[in-house]
Amino acid sequence: MKLTRILSNLQVLKTLVQHDIMLHNSHLLRRCIDTIIWASCVTIVAQYLLPLFGMSHSFGIFLVISNSVLWGLFEINSQLAEFLSEIEGGNIISYFLTLPLPASLVFVKYALGYAYRSWISSFLVLTSLFFIQDFGQLHLTPWSIFSFLFMHFLANLFFGFFCLFTVSLSPDVTYTTTIRSRVIFPLWHLGCANFTWLMLYQVSPFFAYLNLLNPMTYLLEGIRASILPQFISLSYGTCVAATIGFIILFGYLGIIRLKKRLDCL
Amino acid sequence: MNSSRFIQISKVFWQMILRDLAAYRPQYKDDLINTLIWNCLVVFVFAYIMPEVGLNNFGTFILITNIASIGFFSTTEKIGSIVSDLEGDKAISYYLTLPIPQWLVFVQMAIANAMQAVSIAIVAFPIGLLILGDIHALPHFCWWKFAIMLVVSSIFYGFFSLVAAAFTKNIYSMNNTWLRVIFPLWHLGGNMYPWKEMHNVSPIFANILLANPIMYCLEGTRATTLAPELSLSFWTCVLTLLSFTALMAYVGISKFLKRLDCL
């Protein structure tokens, strides 16, 4: 009896997520263009101009691989505004909450939908490898490619659930700028996007240990550990385990806070 | 008669500016904190961590670039509220009924945004210098040129955001505007390199980038604070920016007048 119930819940969840995916796919081309523009601008500057200031020539590829994860963090901005306007409008989310599905799974559906959006478009960041033209720096074996894809998937799953958490922190849509400046930007800029954890450790061990509380550190170190072994600072396994831990933590906090906010049963 | 009309228009215009500044005051603290977080983190990372990657003496450069960019982000942030007003409350319709020429309503919006941007940048600058921790970081600093550049670039940003808002169809297109226009203009506008370095890498691309007005905002501000020989000349930047401002004002106002069916 209980198993049937679980299976039926999962079936409803699957249908809702499929619906989200279908809706998003209709805007996919537009989003892919945005991704390519952004990634190309960043890569051209890193690959051709920053070396003139003494930056290592491998910084271009370092940044492309990091950006394939970072894109999902930036996607949170638009998803946050969208979710908050749904909550403020009230109609759509109220409908989902009346479905024969535990309220938690409704929020899981949102997280999975958002994870899909950032996952699918962030692959396009890799098109900027075209500007690098030195693929010898990439460690391309079946295992490393699998590790990369797995970490990329986990990272986007994290962003989906982290989005729920940021929504739960925001009182209204006007708060999105504050979330971007006070949460997303510091996580990104201090989260080993432009440097490895080891470099940070050489500058300030205290600050480096403090940065281990930043989930972006694990996502970025993990993705680089999979395919750019020359930049390894934290082991791949550690990054995977920490990312899963953060997904559970932020998923739990986000869902609890949203259920409270929306007076769910 | 003409002069009394002019005085009346000036009074209304000034009252509108004051009203916008008063309405902005409660939000100022939050905007300032957000900007300081961004500026301090970027300066900290580039001054203390990035030298490990080989990027030396970049902290000062990035601080000046940030100060010049604050206005850009602060004014473009307003595009969302302008567009949502056009789609929703249409509070702008009320301003268009005031006893001033309708085009002045848009000029007022740009000027008010520019003033808000300046009010944030002048606080962020000394705090960024504190993060650098070097009182001799800017031996070429010329305060009056810096002030002129800050005002000129902020006014340009104000009119630029007007154009961007005029061409943004609805609130959902905001992300497109940001990623396809604002970000490339800024990132390819010399936010991490001087124009002369770009010229060394690719003279053709560097010459194309001279059509990017953000390049003049960033280069001009750097010309007033860092070694002048590294940047385009200060007066070239000021004059070019004034021309771009006039162009943006014309395009933005015409587009808005058309979009809002003004007389």
Side-chain angles (χ1 to χ4, degrees):
Chain A
M1 184 66 180
K2 210 172 177 184
L3 184 70
T4 331
R5 182 69 194 268
I6 291 172
L7 287 175
S8 125
N9 284 344
L10 288 178
Q11 185 60 41
V12 178
L13 177 66
K14 188 182 142 205
T15 314
L16 290 175
V17 173
Q18 276 175 341
H19 173 73
D20 263 12
I21 289 174
M22 203 178 68
L23 273 182
H24 179 64
N25 284 349
S26 58
H27 307 294
L28 192 59
L29 180 69
R30 199 180 64 191
R31 207 63 190 141
C32 289
I33 295 172
D34 294 345
T35 315
I36 292 172
I37 292 175
W38 173 76
S40 307
C41 289
V42 174
T43 310
I44 289 171
V45 170
Q47 179 69 14
Y48 298 106
L49 292 163
L50 290 185
L52 296 174
F53 295 91
M55 182 69 100
S56 155
H57 280 278
S58 53
F59 188 65
I61 201 147
F62 178 94
L63 213 57
V64 173
I65 300 302
S66 306
N67 285 347
S68 67
V69 162
L70 276 176
W71 177 254
L73 185 67
F74 302 140
E75 281 277 38
I76 289 181
N77 268 330
S78 48
Q79 292 161 355
L80 176 65
E82 202 176 293
F83 200 164
L84 283 170
S85 43
E86 266 191 38
I87 290 180
E88 284 176 16
N91 297 329
I92 305 173
I93 195 154
S94 303
Y95 162 70
F96 286 127
L97 288 170
T98 60
L99 291 175
L101 195 69
S104 313
L105 283 185
V106 171
F107 298 115
V108 170
K109 164 249 172 214
Y110 275 98
L112 295 179
Y114 293 147
Y116 170 78
R117 287 186 193 193
S118 52
W119 177 77
I120 193 79
S121 51
S122 60
F123 277 113
L124 269 295
V125 170
L126 296 175
T127 54
S128 54
L129 279 173
F130 167 78
F131 297 107
I132 306 284
Q133 295 179 344
D134 178 13
F135 300 108
Q137 296 177 69
L138 292 173
H139 180 63
L140 294 173
T141 62
W143 172 247
S144 67
I145 292 172
F146 171 77
S147 314
F148 174 83
L149 292 174
F150 183 61
M151 194 64 213
H152 186 258
F153 167 76
L154 277 185
N156 286 293
L157 200 59
F158 167 79
F159 293 133
F161 284 99
F162 187 66
C163 183
L164 291 187
F165 178 69
T166 53
V167 170
S168 76
L169 293 179
S170 317
D172 56 52
V173 141
T174 57
Y175 207 71
T176 48
T177 315
T178 305
I179 291 285
R180 189 174 64 209
S181 305
R182 299 185 193 178
V183 180
I184 295 176
F185 179 76
L187 281 180
W188 162 49
H189 207 65
L190 297 176
C192 300
N194 296 314
F195 46 84
T196 64
W197 184 80
L198 208 56
M199 288 169 187
L200 183 60
Y201 182 79
Q202 281 157 5
V203 174
S204 158
F206 170 75
F207 204 59
Y209 284 121
L210 197 65
N211 216 17
L212 290 177
L213 295 174
N214 181 347
M216 288 308 295
T217 303
Y218 299 99
L219 304 187
L220 290 160
E221 287 291 339
I223 203 84
R224 291 194 294 256
S226 67
I227 208 163
L228 285 174
Q230 64 271 38
F231 292 112
I232 283 186
S233 291
L234 301 173
S235 79
Y236 181 76
T238 309
C239 295
V240 167
T243 306
I244 294 172
F246 277 117
I247 291 172
I248 295 169
L249 176 70
F250 285 112
Y252 175 76
L253 291 176
I255 291 171
I256 292 286
R257 289 173 61 96
L258 282 172
K259 278 174 77 171
K260 212 169 173 181
R261 178 168 169 178
L262 292 171
D263 264 345
C264 299
L265 295 172
Chain B
M1 182 62 184
N2 270 346
S3 73
S4 68
R5 169 91 177 127
F6 177 76
I7 291 169
Q8 187 205 3
I9 288 172
S10 307
K11 273 184 184 167
V12 176
F13 185 81
W14 182 239
Q15 287 305 319
M16 286 168 74
I17 295 271
L18 289 181
R19 182 249 162 233
D20 267 12
L21 291 180
Y24 179 64
R25 202 179 302 153
Q27 204 193 322
Y28 179 70
K29 194 182 81 184
D30 272 344
D31 278 4
L32 185 63
I33 293 172
N34 294 345
T35 307
L36 289 180
I37 290 173
W38 170 67
N39 186 40
C40 294
L41 285 182
V42 173
V43 172
F44 173 78
V45 166
F46 277 91
Y48 300 105
I49 301 175
M50 293 310 272
E52 288 293 315
V53 203
L55 206 58
N56 291 309
N57 303 321
F58 214 65
T60 320
F61 182 92
I62 216 77
L63 168 66
I64 301 306
T65 305
N66 278 0
I67 299 303
S69 307
I70 284 171
F72 189 49
F73 293 117
S74 159
T75 52
T76 49
E77 199 66 56
K78 305 284 189 305
I79 298 172
S81 44
I82 297 175
V83 174
S84 65
D85 179 54
L86 293 178
E87 285 191 317
D89 298 342
K90 283 215 161 78
I92 197 166
S93 308
Y94 163 69
Y95 295 109
L96 292 170
T97 61
L98 292 176
I100 56 169
Q102 290 180 322
W103 60 269
L104 263 183
V105 172
F106 303 107
V107 173
Q108 180 272 330
M109 279 162 67
I111 301 286
N113 280 345
M115 287 169 89
Q116 292 166 11
V118 170
S119 69
I120 291 177
I122 51 173
V123 180
F125 183 44
I127 294 177
L129 276 176
L130 282 179
I131 300 287
L132 279 182
D134 178 8
I135 51 167
H136 303 297
L138 302 170
H140 301 278
F141 182 67
C142 173
W143 70 269
W144 63 269
K145 282 186 176 177
F146 178 77
I148 289 177
M149 199 62 217
L150 194 62
V151 171
V152 169
S153 55
S154 297
I155 293 175
F156 165 76
Y157 294 143
F159 283 103
F160 172 81
S161 62
L162 205 64
V163 175
F167 281 92
T168 303
K169 275 187 222 152
N170 51 42
I171 200 76
Y172 298 104
S173 315
M174 261 304 296
N175 235 349
N176 293 352
T177 308
W178 210 91
L179 281 163
R180 296 181 193 182
V181 182
I182 297 170
F183 180 76
L185 276 180
W186 178 67
H187 203 64
L188 297 176
N191 78 321
M192 296 192 87
Y193 52 87
W195 181 81
K196 285 183 179 167
E197 292 292 353
M198 173 57 97
H199 196 262
N200 291 340
V201 176
S202 162
I204 297 174
F205 199 54
N207 288 333
I208 293 173
L209 284 185
L210 288 178
N212 179 352
I214 305 303
M215 182 65 88
Y216 299 97
C217 299
L218 305 185
E219 284 282 303
T221 312
R222 289 196 290 254
T224 67
T225 44
L226 306 174
E229 64 273 11
L230 295 176
S231 317
L232 296 173
S233 102
F234 170 75
W235 291 112
T236 308
C237 294
V238 170
L239 292 175
T240 317
L241 269 180
L242 289 175
S243 317
F244 271 116
T245 305
L247 178 71
M248 293 291 157
Y250 176 75
V251 175
I253 292 169
S254 315
K255 179 81 183 165
F256 258 117
L257 289 173
K258 212 168 176 180
R259 183 167 173 175
L260 292 170
D261 262 346
C262 296
L263 296 172

